[in-house]
Amino acid sequence: PTHPSPSFKHMFPTLDPSVLSAVMRHAFNEDELYKLDSDSIRKKGRVAFDRHGRGFDVSGTSTEDYPTLPSLLDPLATYFRILLAACTDVAHLQQLADGSHQYIARLAAFAGRYDWPAVLAYHFDFHRLRLQDMRAGRFSRWGEVDVGLHAQHLAGREKGYLPAPVAVSRQQSLGGRERDGCWTQRGTEEMCDLFNHGLCKSPCRYGRVHGCRACGLPEHTVGAC
């Protein structure tokens, strides 16, 4: 079904029927997840006003919008409830039930291991890809880890992660001026591993230094050194 029946609406009495219909048709974009939030105060905080005093919803995917894991899991759990209640294909239902359970457990594990902004970025990119899958009739990938997104968002973002300091010659660190040639350490600057693998564009979205891990000079990767 692509439109909620009266009994279906009764299962989710606080949600607008147009929102239920969008979720059922996989036309509900990942940045609209806040519309499913059970916390009415958080939901009201997503309304802004234009210069004419007209209210409109504000979509977002940042840590200001979802500051903690529970603030994401609340609407995400409702999202999966709607998908499961609307699914009529037995095989797809089994895939969604198993995949959604695995995915929520994995998000919790990720949140315990990685910085929350990185986990949030992984989630919204992952959710966007799964929407594309479901529109094409594929429901089996919710339980998988996306290796590419993991490398892009989570690798090197472990909590308490302290990268190895980068050795830089004194001559290089002083802009090429001739000194004694001994080596020093850039211990106070955190180099971006993703930049050195070609996975992060400048400026760094994590606030790290974009520079070569080999020589420490800015704006070229270790592969180009």
Side-chain angles (χ1 to χ4, degrees), residues 2-4 8-9 12-25:
T2 57
H3 297 284
F8 195 91
K9 294 177 187 177
F12 305 95
T14 63
L15 298 180
D16 190 289
S18 64
V19 171
L20 292 175
S21 178
V23 174
M24 295 166 70
R25 293 182 289 108

Side-chain angles (χ1 to χ4, degrees), residues 13-177:
T14 63
L15 298 180
D16 190 289
S18 64
V19 171
L20 292 175
S21 178
V23 174
M24 295 166 70
R25 293 182 289 108
H26 312 303
F28 186 79
N29 292 330
E30 70 285 345
D31 61 357
E32 299 178 288
L33 196 61
Y34 70 93
K35 294 179 180 179
L36 305 178
D37 202 324
S38 66
D39 188 324
S40 59
I41 295 177
R42 276 202 305 256
K43 192 182 295 187
K44 286 181 180 178
R46 305 302 300 270
V47 178
F49 295 89
D50 62 19
R51 60 190 180 90
H52 301 294
R54 293 177 300 219
F56 59 93
D57 290 336
V58 180
S59 299
T61 59
S62 72
T63 53
E64 292 184 4
D65 305 300
Y66 303 94
T68 62
L69 176 64
S71 68
L72 175 65
L73 292 187
D74 180 299
L76 185 61
T78 300
Y79 176 78
F80 282 131
R81 284 182 60 215
I82 297 170
L83 288 181
L84 291 168
C87 189
T88 57
D89 183 284
V90 175
H92 291 167
L93 181 62
Q94 291 175 337
Q95 291 168 348
L96 273 174
D98 184 58
S100 60
H101 176 79
Q102 289 189 57
Y103 184 62
I104 287 178
R106 185 165 290 117
L107 276 181
F110 281 168
R113 181 176 181 184
Y114 300 102
D115 293 341
W116 177 238
V119 176
L120 200 59
Y122 174 94
H123 162 70
F124 281 108
D125 279 356
F126 186 87
H127 192 167
R128 188 177 303 114
L129 293 176
R130 300 294 74 77
L131 278 168
Q132 294 173 11
D133 283 345
M134 292 190 296
R135 288 167 189 154
R138 298 187 297 268
F139 294 80
S140 62
R141 299 192 63 188
W142 277 104
E144 299 178 6
V145 175
D146 189 301
V147 177
L149 292 181
H150 189 283
Q152 181 181 354
H153 294 299
L154 300 177
R157 296 297 296 173
E158 291 85 355
K159 291 181 176 180
Y161 171 74
L162 293 175
V166 180
V168 183
S169 71
R170 190 174 298 277
Q171 178 178 345
Q172 291 168 331
S173 67
L174 294 174
R177 287 177 291 169

